[in-house]
Amino acid sequence: MLKAERKRFILNEVRIHNRVLLTDIAETLNVSVDTIRRDITELHKERMLKKVHGGAISLGFDNIHIGRGDIYALELKTKIAQKGISLLKMGQVILLSGGTTNMEFARLIPVELQITCFTPSLPVANQLMTKPNIDLIFIGGKMAKSSQIAIGGDAINMLSDIRVDMCFLGTNSIDSKHGLTEFDWEIVQLKKAMVKASKKVVCPVISEKLHSDQRYKVCDIDQVDILLTELDPMDARLDSFRDKNIQII
Amino acid sequence: MLKAERKRFILNEVRIHNRVLLTDIAETLNVSVDTIRRDITELHKERMLKKVHGGAISLGFDNIHIGRGDIYALELKTKIAQKGISLLKMGQVILLSGGTTNMEFARLIPVELQITCFTPSLPVANQLMTKPNIDLIFIGGKMAKSSQIAIGGDAINMLSDIRVDMCFLGTNSIDSKHGLTEFDWEIVQLKKAMVKASKKVVCPVISEKLHSDQRYKVCDIDQVDILLTELDPMDARLDSFRDKNIQII
DNA sequence: AAAATTATTGCACAAAACTGCATGTAGTTG
DNA sequence: CAACTACATGCAGTTTTGTGCAATAATTTT
């Protein structure tokens, strides 16, 4: 029995019965309780279920499981997202791009925080729908299958009518010389509109993406107000971004 | 044994058993485990299966699970949705409202069918995102928490610019005298715009909702072109809808 | 046809992952 | 608080992986 198989089995059980017992699963699958415990711990970290004393229960969203089984470098992204959360103030209006970091960000927004969010990202919207205190406005348009965000004229149009306090703009690549760059032309157009629609641009990005660049440019580095990475703000890898009027957090 | 042959064999095994073990395949095909490992690595990159420690498993719908756990009268709605599917033609442009019947409808759209869908409903959009052949345009706007659809000026604006072949308009209540009615004023505004944006209005509704009405009116009954219920078209409960220029299916 | 290039395959070996067990700690229940 | 169950952690044995290398097969170029 493969590990992945067990995990899938557990998830299915949770989906059906809404809860599982460690011992039950262990017996059913003929492996030690420790193994199941470890599986469940992983699934918990992957946010596929909730680990509780003695077993696990489903996350219990209304009708959509926002599973993020294989987010790359989830830990780092959580760290970045948390730094981002600390920037939020009650009553603010923000704009969120797509990407897994922003997903994590959306997930971590405290339930009691009352803010208005705009987003063209379907997964982010799903996430935000679970927060009763957030006013959510979806930027509509043609949905790009790969990135699950709305693109094209409609989206850009809608963005042209708004001006938000702060934009959390995920990016494919960032470099102190070439600025923010992307691989996909359509997405560049959208992100340009997002930058235009925001008073402040916050750029959450894992250190790995620093000093890399792609074909098309979204904006210059000096348009970014705040740079969020998982690194210590004093880290040497951030040196080239200093003295650019960017706040590094 | 050709590489392609092996790969096909592996895929078939995965399709049938939902999983394969590296060692099993290697033994069956009489090649080294390394070779199979490489094959599976490639198939993984090609997104034909998921490589896991010890073997591979089918892709399944791990990431996003769109729950239909407790849809009221799901059987009936499935029946209605299927009738709706039969109205679809390749290349059409349709508009889908929210509601569980339309969710079911979206789920049942055949993967090979190539159509363009507009919708202001987040769950419907999620569902449609899983279909590669569907062009999806999300009608953006302020998201209503309870119904999970976009409402307000933005949504209505966006609708005012389109004219689709057919609209599948779920409704709260329908009556031969009072037409389509709703409980929520905002949603009425949206649905009015949806009716306006469509050449044909199809109204999928379970028989239970026939002959009931609510506070606010969406449109008159003669604006509905096709009425879809789970009943036999000749059923007596549909009598009052006859001779209204409505096609009953 | 010969030579050169590229792709495929098996093997070796160190690194990583997996799993059960033992141990001490934390949480739960009566 | 005492008995009990569940938990985290470290360890060891086993299996699986990734990678470099060499031999062979297939393809292209000359």
Side-chain angles (χ1 to χ4, degrees):
Chain A
M1 163 88 50
L2 295 169
K3 180 183 185 151
E5 238 180 320
R6 285 197 314 267
K7 284 168 87 167
R8 201 169 271 187
F9 176 84
I10 294 169
L11 275 180
N12 199 44
E13 286 294 296
V14 168
R15 216 183 61 210
I16 294 168
H17 300 112
N18 223 45
R19 78 180 178 121
V20 294
L21 299 180
L22 274 182
T23 49
D24 280 4
I25 303 270
E27 197 178 340
T28 314
L29 299 186
N30 253 316
V31 289
S32 81
V33 182
D34 301 75
T35 302
I36 300 298
R37 196 196 313 291
R38 273 184 276 241
D39 290 343
I40 286 185
T41 305
E42 282 174 30
L43 288 168
H44 177 88
K45 278 187 190 151
E46 289 160 13
R47 314 267 144 71
M48 301 299 286
L49 47 68
K50 186 171 183 194
K51 184 175 176 306
V52 295
H53 197 96
I57 57 174
S58 79
L59 292 174
F61 283 132
D62 292 320
N63 65 14
I64 189 163
H65 280 209
I66 306 164
R68 290 168 310 337
D70 357 311
I71 292 186
Y72 174 69
L74 179 57
E75 315 274 314
L76 301 185
K77 288 175 180 176
T78 306
K79 203 165 171 185
I80 296 170
Q82 264 154 352
K83 289 186 184 180
I85 299 287
S86 66
L87 299 173
L88 295 180
K89 291 189 192 70
M90 192 68 94
Q92 254 179 343
V93 180
I94 66 171
L95 176 55
L96 289 173
S97 77
T100 46
T101 308
N102 271 341
M103 269 294 283
E104 198 57 10
F105 178 82
R107 191 181 67 84
L108 291 172
I109 295 177
V111 275
E112 71 277 8
L113 194 63
Q114 201 169 325
I115 54 174
T116 301
C117 293
F118 286 77
T119 186
S121 158
L122 199 56
V124 169
N126 283 322
Q127 189 64 256
L128 292 175
M129 282 301 278
T130 66
K131 316 253 174 185
N133 286 325
I134 288 186
D135 263 348
L136 172 63
I137 295 99
F138 194 96
I139 308 286
K142 180 159 168 44
M143 299 301 300
K145 283 273 149 51
S146 55
S147 49
Q148 307 221 102
I149 62 176
I151 54 172
D154 287 318
I156 290 171
N157 244 333
M158 206 162 152
L159 282 167
S160 72
D161 288 340
I162 63 177
R163 186 142 178 89
V164 302
D165 295 322
M166 205 181 264
C167 170
F168 288 83
L169 187 68
T171 187
N172 220 304
S173 297
I174 184 169
D175 181 84
S176 52
K177 211 180 276 175
H178 305 100
L180 270 57
T181 49
E182 289 280 336
F183 184 78
D184 184 312
W185 175 254
E186 286 275 23
I187 290 182
V188 168
Q189 303 313 307
L190 182 82
K191 292 199 171 173
K192 278 184 173 178
M194 291 180 71
V195 171
K196 230 182 207 168
S198 315
K199 292 181 198 157
K200 276 197 173 196
V201 174
V202 180
C203 196
V205 58
I206 58 175
S207 59
E208 194 176 81
K209 289 181 180 174
L210 298 171
H211 316 298
S212 69
D213 59 314
Q214 303 280 342
R215 256 189 302 212
Y216 308 118
K217 179 148 118 183
V218 173
C219 68
D220 278 318
I221 197 70
D222 56 14
Q223 301 228 39
V224 175
D225 297 280
I226 301 177
L227 185 60
L228 290 179
T229 77
E230 84 281 11
L231 303 172
D232 183 283
M234 287 299 119
D235 195 287
R237 280 167 281 182
L238 294 164
D239 283 350
S240 65
F241 294 97
R242 299 184 210 287
D243 302 327
K244 297 256 185 198
N245 243 343
I246 302 176
Q247 189 183 349
I248 299 172
I249 303 184
Chain B
M1 162 90 43
L2 295 171
K3 182 181 192 161
E5 232 175 313
R6 286 197 314 268
K7 283 168 91 167
R8 193 173 298 171
F9 177 83
I10 294 170
L11 276 179
N12 198 45
E13 285 294 296
V14 168
R15 199 171 53 82
I16 295 168
H17 300 111
N18 217 43
R19 69 134 201 212
V20 294
L21 299 181
L22 226 45
T23 49
D24 280 4
I25 302 272
E27 197 178 340
T28 315
L29 299 186
N30 254 316
V31 289
S32 82
V33 181
D34 302 74
T35 302
I36 300 298
R37 196 198 315 292
R38 274 183 275 241
D39 290 343
I40 286 183
T41 304
E42 283 174 28
L43 288 168
H44 176 88
K45 279 186 189 151
E46 291 161 15
R47 300 180 190 262
M48 302 299 286
L49 47 68
K50 186 172 177 185
K51 182 176 177 307
V52 297
H53 194 99
I57 58 176
S58 70
L59 289 174
F61 281 68
D62 244 356
N63 291 347
I64 199 162
H65 168 242
I66 299 160
R68 308 180 293 133
D70 18 305
I71 293 183
Y72 173 69
L74 179 57
E75 316 277 311
L76 302 185
K77 288 175 179 176
T78 306
K79 204 165 170 184
I80 295 170
Q82 264 154 352
K83 288 186 185 179
I85 299 286
S86 66
L87 298 173
L88 295 178
K89 290 189 192 69
M90 192 68 96
Q92 254 179 342
V93 180
I94 67 171
L95 176 55
L96 288 174
S97 76
T100 46
T101 308
N102 270 342
M103 270 294 283
E104 197 58 11
F105 178 80
R107 192 180 67 86
L108 292 172
I109 295 176
V111 275
E112 72 276 8
L113 194 63
Q114 200 169 325
I115 55 175
T116 301
C117 292
F118 286 78
T119 187
S121 159
L122 201 56
V124 168
N126 282 321
Q127 188 64 257
L128 292 176
M129 281 303 276
T130 66
K131 316 253 173 183
N133 286 325
I134 288 186
D135 263 349
L136 172 63
I137 295 101
F138 195 96
I139 308 287
K142 179 160 169 40
M143 298 302 299
K145 284 272 150 52
S146 55
S147 49
Q148 308 220 96
I149 62 175
I151 54 172
D154 286 320
I156 290 171
N157 244 332
M158 207 161 152
L159 282 167
S160 73
D161 287 340
I162 62 175
R163 185 138 177 93
V164 302
D165 296 322
M166 206 182 265
C167 170
F168 288 83
L169 188 69
T171 188
N172 221 304
S173 296
I174 185 170
D175 181 86
S176 51
K177 211 179 277 176
H178 305 98
L180 270 58
T181 50
E182 288 281 335
F183 183 78
D184 183 312
W185 174 253
E186 285 275 23
I187 290 183
V188 168
Q189 302 314 306
L190 182 81
K191 292 199 172 173
K192 277 185 173 179
M194 290 179 71
V195 171
K196 229 181 207 170
S198 315
K199 291 182 199 159
K200 276 198 173 193
V201 174
V202 180
C203 196
V205 58
I206 58 175
S207 58
E208 196 175 79
K209 287 182 180 173
L210 297 172
H211 316 300
S212 70
D213 59 314
Q214 303 279 343
R215 257 189 302 212
Y216 308 118
K217 179 148 120 184
V218 173
C219 68
D220 279 318
I221 195 71
D222 55 14
Q223 299 227 42
V224 175
D225 296 281
I226 301 177
L227 185 60
L228 289 181
T229 76
E230 85 281 11
L231 304 172
D232 183 284
M234 287 299 119
D235 194 289
R237 279 167 283 181
L238 293 164
D239 283 350
S240 65
F241 294 97
R242 297 187 211 286
D243 300 327
K244 298 253 184 201
N245 241 344
I246 303 176
Q247 188 182 349
I248 298 172
I249 302 185

